[in-house]
Amino acid sequence: MSSSQPYPPSLTPTELSRLITTIKDHTIAHGLAVRPPPSLIASSSDLNTILATTAPVTLFPSPFPRICFDQAKGIQKAYNELYAGIASDEEFLRGVVEEIIEVDEFIAELWQVHLKVKEEGYTQKFSLGLFRSDYMVHQSSSDDIPVIKQVEFNTIASSFGGLSTQASALHKYLSHVSYPLLQSQIPIRSLALPENNSSIGLATGLKFAYHTYIASQKHEKCIIFLVQDPERNIFDQRHLEYELQQSAIPVFRVSFTETLSQTSITDTSKRELLYHPSNFSKVFEVAVVYFRSGYGPDDYPDEKAWKARLQIERSNAIKCPSILTQLAGAKKVQQVLATPKGLASEPSVLARFLKSSSAEIESLEKTFTNIFPLDETPAGLEARKIATDKALCNGYVLKPQREGGGNNIYRSAIPKFLASIPDSHWKSYILMEIITPPPVQNLILRNGVVEKGGVICELGVYGTCLWDAFTGDVLHNEEAGYLLRTKGDKSEEGGVAAGFGSMDSCTLV
Ligand code: ADP
Ligand code: MG
Ligand code: MG
């Protein structure tokens, strides 16, 4: 991209409307789509006709430092190994969970499910992770080399891999067909649009687990996507389903609430999970359960839902993720990894999980930003001072042990929020420094309306990993494409599903 031209280029009203039409058609033709938000459906009768709308998307790929992109992709396999290691280390996880269990009912319930299965004995040794490590760019001053700082690491329902491939494809298409026609041209060669195989990458992880699973030979094997119903982000999941079905793998969508009626466990010592929906006679043996739900309390409205989770956990199916893998993704774990040790000479916590060289451990630690506990340790007491101080709290975000967006408390809202809950609950939160990436401009198309201005980009790198949870041995470990999500710089949260973010892709600078 030439620095003399403004980016993104300014558009005449005609150009803008032509570009929007092109984007609307391309996105629907290629499934860069979501179910429409309820507010857009004028009457309930429309539900049958309006099935899809363009997912929020940027009109141009956002500039992203190449050095940061390479850094994030380059360390993904080490991150996969790290989290496979954490998920295989029950003792470590117990230590973390025990700190929050009495005040966080959801984490406590998950832990209970794990303990029940442990007592009976896990039959499946393999665990699958479809991970996504999220980052923002950090640059101390404009002269400094930009680096990535990790926002969080997702171990359950890491979404948008299906749509992300399509967002990259859209921008590539526009760079060939639409951008060259603009008055203030962007020379095609000035855009550096990296390949993005997130769809195939994630499907490859699922396929590997499917083929590793040893079936009882009585039934054909299948993969189950355990989903929410209704699900606005269904097309993202469909892209992965289609990838698998092209390889002749039977895939079924089962909603969390249907689990108990459509699956059962054999009475063999293996405890195979069978899938037998009432509307067809064939029975399948479930090789892999891929969770696209079950990550938050809302998915467990009653005892039945917890029974369903237990049924899956105690079965022989390979879980993506297992309970321990889900817990490894808790923000409390991220904080424990990132909180500096008292003495610099002490070995890194990461060494416990990684066989890698110290250089690799260092490359992971470089992506950590300051995260503090809010407990009664010296670091926690220090953090409590920051979190309750009107001025100091402005550089921080407070996070509970939750997933899926919309759960955090930002900046000046922190002291008031903490005052509204009992002190005894504070320790279930972590306090994290806010990352402020250098300013970027873009235009976001959301529900037919264009928003223009300063944006904040969050890069996610996918990883797939299959490991033996009994021994910690890793059988499959791959980096699996990327996601760029972009939100207006006035918005605190960035989840596309939560309604604030948009799909994007990188032009490397
Ligand atoms: P969730 O698991 O709910 O997605 P995140 O930790 O990713 O939780 O937080 C949600 C959003 O909040 C992120 O996508 C990002 O936009 C914003 N956010 C979280 N942590 C930070 C941070 N340290 N600095 C800046 N923004 C953050
Ligand atoms: Mg998350
Ligand atoms: Mg997130």
Side-chain angles (χ1 to χ4, degrees):
M1 198 184 305
S2 142
S3 54
S4 59
Q5 289 162 314
Y7 187 89
S10 49
L11 304 170
T12 65
T14 316
E15 284 177 338
L16 180 64
S17 100
R18 207 180 290 148
L19 190 58
I20 290 173
T21 303
T22 306
I23 291 175
K24 281 182 178 168
D25 288 348
H26 193 277
T27 51
I28 294 301
H30 294 84
L32 179 46
V34 289
R35 291 258 193 258
S39 60
L40 276 197
I41 302 173
S43 72
S44 57
S45 64
D46 285 344
L47 265 175
N48 295 316
T49 49
I50 309 173
L51 293 173
T53 186
T54 295
V57 65
T58 58
L59 269 51
F60 296 89
S62 289
F64 196 89
R66 183 186 294 274
I67 192 171
C68 292
F69 187 80
D70 292 342
Q71 187 192 354
K73 296 258 269 187
I75 56 176
Q76 186 57 38
K77 285 167 78 165
Y79 259 125
N80 292 345
E81 192 189 330
L82 171 64
Y83 275 84
I86 295 171
S88 308
D89 193 333
E90 196 220 23
E91 195 188 315
F92 171 80
L93 283 172
R94 189 192 310 120
V96 175
V97 163
E98 271 172 0
E99 287 183 40
I100 46 182
I101 208 162
E102 27 176 302
V103 289
D104 191 321
E105 214 177 300
F106 179 63
I107 299 285
E109 290 269 14
L110 286 173
W111 187 249
Q112 278 310 314
V113 174
H114 160 68
L115 288 184
K116 273 188 203 153
V117 180
K118 190 188 161 195
E119 202 180 302
E120 193 180 10
Y122 274 88
T123 66
Q124 180 54 256
K125 60 181 177 178
F126 297 122
S127 259
L128 175 66
L130 298 193
F131 299 140
R132 198 187 70 221
S133 187
D134 292 336
Y135 309 94
M136 285 181 185
V137 172
H138 170 77
Q139 197 172 16
S140 308
S141 77
S142 54
D143 297 336
D144 282 334
I145 296 170
V147 292
I148 45 165
K149 290 292 173 191
Q150 188 178 54
V151 173
E152 64 153 344
F153 191 91
N154 294 289
T155 60
I156 182 164
S158 313
S159 47
F160 300 113
L163 296 189
S164 186
T165 294
Q166 295 306 329
S168 295
L170 168 72
H171 289 148
K172 189 156 271 181
Y173 171 81
L174 297 174
S175 76
H176 286 116
V177 174
S178 300
Y179 302 155
L181 301 178
L182 301 174
Q183 266 174 34
S184 39
Q185 277 187 25
I186 317 169
I188 300 175
R189 259 172 293 142
S190 71
L191 291 178
L193 307 178
E195 280 297 305
N196 189 8
N197 292 325
S198 48
S199 232
I200 293 176
L202 293 178
T204 303
L206 286 163
K207 275 184 214 176
F208 191 90
Y210 175 80
H211 292 302
T212 305
Y213 181 88
I214 300 166
S216 62
Q217 309 279 337
K218 286 201 197 98
H219 306 283
E220 198 182 330
K221 294 193 279 189
C222 78
I223 295 181
I224 274 182
F225 280 33
L226 207 68
V227 298
Q228 294 177 339
D229 184 27
E231 170 60 84
R232 283 196 59 210
N233 196 25
I234 185 166
F235 304 109
D236 179 47
Q237 303 169 358
R238 286 287 192 200
H239 285 298
L240 304 189
E241 290 174 47
Y242 300 151
E243 261 329 310
L244 294 166
Q245 285 160 339
Q246 270 185 22
S247 306
I249 296 176
V251 184
F252 301 99
R253 299 173 63 80
V254 177
S255 76
F256 215 88
T257 44
E258 293 168 333
T259 309
L260 287 177
S261 63
Q262 304 205 348
T263 68
S264 62
I265 291 196
T266 62
D267 51 16
T268 67
S269 61
K270 274 274 182 218
R271 303 198 294 271
E272 285 97 359
L273 186 66
L274 301 181
Y275 173 60
H276 43 73
S278 49
N279 54 348
F280 52 90
S281 53
K282 196 164 166 179
V283 174
F284 289 84
E285 181 170 339
V286 183
V288 185
V289 178
Y290 173 43
F291 283 81
R292 289 298 294 258
S293 59
Y295 50 80
D298 292 351
D299 289 324
Y300 303 84
D302 51 28
E303 243 340 273
K304 240 179 91 186
W306 284 109
K307 265 195 182 149
R309 184 68 195 257
L310 176 65
Q311 168 137 311
I312 292 164
E313 190 70 11
R314 64 188 286 271
S315 81
N316 192 43
I318 297 177
K319 273 76 70 182
C320 179
S322 66
I323 299 254
L324 288 184
T325 308
Q326 177 172 355
L327 288 169
K331 301 200 164 62
K332 186 73 195 166
V333 169
Q334 188 192 6
Q335 174 259 302
V336 170
L337 300 182
T339 301
K341 282 280 185 64
L343 292 169
S345 57
E346 270 186 73
S348 158
V349 194
L350 273 59
R352 175 172 175 146
F353 313 106
L354 285 168
K355 293 181 198 88
S356 333
S357 63
S358 56
E360 200 155 44
I361 289 177
E362 215 174 292
S363 69
L364 293 181
E365 286 179 333
K366 272 192 191 144
T367 68
F368 296 170
T369 190
N370 286 323
I371 312 179
F372 303 101
L374 225 53
D375 55 17
E376 280 162 14
T377 60
L381 294 175
E382 204 51 42
R384 285 175 175 217
K385 274 192 210 146
I386 298 173
T388 50
D389 183 295
K390 263 196 215 142
L392 294 177
C393 67
N394 272 309
Y396 292 85
V397 49
L398 184 74
K399 301 189 186 184
Q401 310 305 311
R402 291 292 171 273
E403 293 301 323
N407 300 303
N408 300 340
I409 297 101
Y410 294 86
R411 302 181 192 270
S412 58
I414 298 173
K416 206 171 156 198
F417 173 80
L418 285 176
S420 75
I421 60 168
D423 291 18
S424 58
H425 285 212
W426 289 14
K427 62 184 173 188
S428 66
Y429 291 79
I430 58 150
L431 189 71
M432 182 174 189
E433 230 169 61
I434 296 234
I435 311 158
T436 312
V440 172
Q441 297 284 315
N442 211 332
L443 297 96
I444 297 172
L445 174 64
R446 185 196 311 281
N447 300 333
V449 180
V450 172
E451 302 157 13
K452 183 170 190 268
V455 294
I456 290 177
C457 299
E458 184 172 346
L459 178 75
V461 177
Y462 296 98
T464 62
C465 194
L466 187 90
W467 67 96
D468 180 331
F470 296 173
T471 63
D473 291 344
V474 174
L475 282 82
H476 163 98
N477 181 2
E478 296 293 340
E479 178 259 301
Y482 83 93
L483 162 73
L484 191 70
R485 272 179 310 174
T486 292
K487 61 179 182 179
D489 60 9
K490 305 287 180 298
S491 160
E492 305 279 25
E493 288 275 338
V496 181
F500 312 101
S502 69
M503 300 296 300
D504 196 352
S505 76
C506 298
T507 174
L508 301 178
V509 291

